Amino acid sequence: MRNIVPDQEQIALFLDFDGTLVEIAPSPEDVKLDRRVAPALEALRNRLGGALALVSGRPIAFLDTMLAPHVFDIAGLHGAQIRVGGELRAQSEAPGSLHEAVRDLVRFANSHVGIIVEDKRVSVALHWRLAPSLQDEALALMRRTAAAMGPGMRLQEGKSVAELVPAGASKGSAIGWLMETPAYAGRRPVFIGDDITDEDGFKAVNAMGGLSVRIGRDRESHAALRLASPTALRHILLEAAETGRLSADSFAATNQD
């Protein structure tokens, strides 16, 4: 286990959304956020001097809706969008071929019950959680589509989902970029996620001497610590918001690995 720093060391907190702050839902639109979470994150951001950001595959606009009226720093679409201090600082452009790719994926979804296409404008995800028997076919389609689109886009595989994202976008690079901004610089990064899409974020914070925490026990991970579920994480965050104390020790105390 990685050594945990004393309580007084300042951290920068980075949080995934799906499977981390909320439970995974059958479809992307079905997620529910505990009404206590957004106010707790607001309190923790103030406690951390502003060094709290969401790092998610979701678009910024979706996360703003879920967390309203609170507005947070966000790296959305796996880092293709980055907003800091209320200012959009990075926005990848979608290649022209993405529109054709979306059309092909929608055609596939329309002919297969349970397949969902999530068009994020800069990226596109294909979900098969409601049709697990179609995993091989869906994944093969996404791999062919990624190969046809060329080096400007890459395929990001996750739990019952595959997504085409701009090649230069990743959660790890987004965290690295945020760590160079004033509110985050000089702090110890802590990143909490749950999926394959979070592994590059875990590796990035490990390389920076930070703490990586994975939700769940279902596979191997680069994360140093584990929590059992989003419920366990919410308990930590709500308690920390109430007490005004949050450090790397807060997550190590309930490590489930």
Side-chain angles (χ1 to χ4, degrees):
M1 182 183 299
R2 193 176 294 271
N3 291 330
I4 305 303
V5 296
D7 280 350
Q8 64 266 25
E9 182 169 358
Q10 293 180 316
I11 65 171
L13 183 61
F14 301 99
L15 297 161
D16 178 39
F17 186 74
D18 291 277
T20 301
L21 289 179
V22 299
E23 301 285 351
I24 294 291
S27 68
E29 297 79 16
D30 292 336
V31 295
K32 304 294 183 184
L33 180 66
D34 187 314
R35 61 181 178 79
R36 300 171 295 172
V37 168
L41 294 181
E42 179 70 40
L44 291 174
R45 176 174 60 181
N46 293 335
R47 171 70 178 82
L48 296 172
L52 183 151
L54 276 74
V55 182
S56 170
R58 296 280 198 166
I60 288 175
F62 173 85
L63 295 171
D64 280 347
T65 298
M66 295 297 295
L67 296 159
H70 307 282
V71 179
F72 297 94
D73 291 349
I74 296 176
L77 300 178
H78 305 281
Q81 300 174 322
I82 300 179
R83 184 183 67 201
V84 180
E87 180 183 353
L88 189 63
R89 302 287 295 276
Q91 173 72 64
S92 297
E93 296 295 329
S97 56
L98 185 61
H99 178 74
E100 182 178 350
V102 170
R103 185 177 58 194
D104 291 342
L105 297 178
V106 168
R107 186 180 300 116
F108 176 75
N110 287 342
S111 60
H112 295 81
V113 176
I115 297 292
I116 298 172
V117 176
E118 186 181 7
D119 183 1
K120 305 179 186 180
R121 306 306 176 189
V122 177
S123 67
V124 60
L126 190 70
H127 299 261
W128 56 84
R129 184 171 299 279
L130 297 176
S133 64
L134 294 173
Q135 174 176 320
D136 291 345
E137 189 174 354
L139 193 51
L141 172 61
M142 289 296 281
R143 287 171 176 168
R144 291 196 303 271
T145 304
M149 294 188 72
M153 299 289 284
R154 66 178 178 86
L155 186 62
Q156 177 76 69
E157 299 179 16
K159 296 176 181 176
S160 300
V161 63
E163 184 170 357
L164 292 164
V165 300
S170 76
K171 292 186 178 183
S173 60
I175 291 171
W177 190 93
L178 286 165
M179 285 298 295
E180 296 181 359
T181 62
Y184 300 84
R187 291 172 175 264
R188 187 184 189 204
V190 174
F191 175 49
I192 306 173
D194 75 301
D195 203 350
I196 300 169
T197 59
D198 299 308
E199 289 296 327
D200 65 320
F202 296 152
K203 289 187 284 187
V205 299
N206 290 345
M208 289 184 273
L211 179 67
S212 52
V213 183
R214 184 175 184 274
I215 305 293
R217 302 170 57 91
D218 55 322
R219 61 173 178 78
E220 294 185 358
S221 174
H222 290 92
L225 299 180
R226 293 181 188 252
L227 296 174
S229 65
T231 299
L233 175 61
R234 285 196 299 273
H235 176 76
I236 293 171
L237 297 177
L238 293 172
E239 182 177 9
E242 179 69 23
T243 63
R245 291 179 60 83
L246 183 68
S247 70
D249 277 340
S250 303
F251 305 102
T254 53
N255 179 37
Q256 300 292 317
D257 196 18

